[in-house]
Amino acid sequence: METTLVLIKPDGVRRNLIGAIISRFEAKGLKIRGMKLMQMSGELADKHYAEHVTKGFYPELKAFMTGSPLVALAIAGPDAVSLVRKMMGATKPADSAPGTIRGDYATIVTENLVHGSDSPESAARELALWFTAAELVG
Ligand code: IDP
Ligand code: MG
């Protein structure tokens, strides 16, 4: 069993897609271990996106991610990290296949609805930023 971090980004919350996105993970058989609606601080954004802070797109990404509430989820199951990434689709909506979350709902690269940890190591690092051990069930 693996646990991964999923964020339903502010565009997903604004577009009333929280339920639609969570439904996909539930229908697949993945389990929710933690869930919260909150606004990301600038400090948390810099830690969460440590690999991207020096990139040209980061100021736009940070403003978007901290600008309105998002939903953070800890999602568990066999191979949850790679499974969630497959269900999300490619980063650029033009490359994401129909049937994936981004492929079905997103048209803009920054506003691509979901974040999912990209490796078990990233998942452990990111989950510790977003959830305390006491906030995770199972
Ligand atoms: P990922 O979310 O698929 O793992 P990353 O490369 O880790 O993609 O990028 C993190 C987030 O930064 C993306 O989901 C997207 O919101 C944003 N992003 C990535 N590349 C670009 C870009 O070239 N322009 C604008 N935003 C980008
Ligand atoms: Mg990434």
Side-chain angles (χ1 to χ4, degrees):
M1 283 291 249
E2 277 178 359
T3 304
T4 189
L5 179 79
V6 171
L7 302 177
I8 301 175
K9 296 184 180 186
D11 55 330
V13 175
R14 280 198 296 269
R15 291 173 59 194
N16 292 337
L17 291 171
I18 297 171
I21 292 169
I22 291 177
S23 285
R24 291 178 176 233
F25 297 126
E26 285 195 299
K28 183 71 176 171
L30 296 165
K31 295 293 176 199
I32 299 171
R33 294 189 58 204
M35 175 161 61
K36 54 174 107 168
L37 175 70
M38 58 179 276
Q39 196 150 345
M40 193 190 211
S41 68
E43 189 189 355
L44 180 54
D46 292 348
K47 287 183 189 159
H48 174 85
Y49 281 126
E51 63 174 324
H52 295 313
V53 287
T54 58
K55 299 204 176 135
F57 64 78
Y58 186 65
E60 184 191 350
L61 176 63
K62 182 176 179 177
F64 163 61
M65 291 297 293
T66 61
S68 65
L70 52 69
V71 175
L73 296 153
I75 290 192
D79 296 311
V81 172
S82 59
L83 203 55
V84 163
R85 294 284 297 189
K86 280 205 183 72
M87 293 175 70
M88 285 166 44
T91 307
K92 291 187 170 52
D95 298 334
S96 53
T100 65
I101 294 166
R102 289 164 170 172
D104 286 350
Y105 295 118
T107 59
I108 306 169
V109 64
T110 305
E111 302 190 13
N112 60 5
L113 291 163
V114 276
H115 166 85
S117 308
D118 63 10
S119 68
E121 295 72 30
S122 297
R125 188 187 74 83
E126 293 173 2
L127 284 163
L129 292 175
W130 288 87
F131 291 97
T132 65
E135 288 172 333
L136 298 179
V137 301

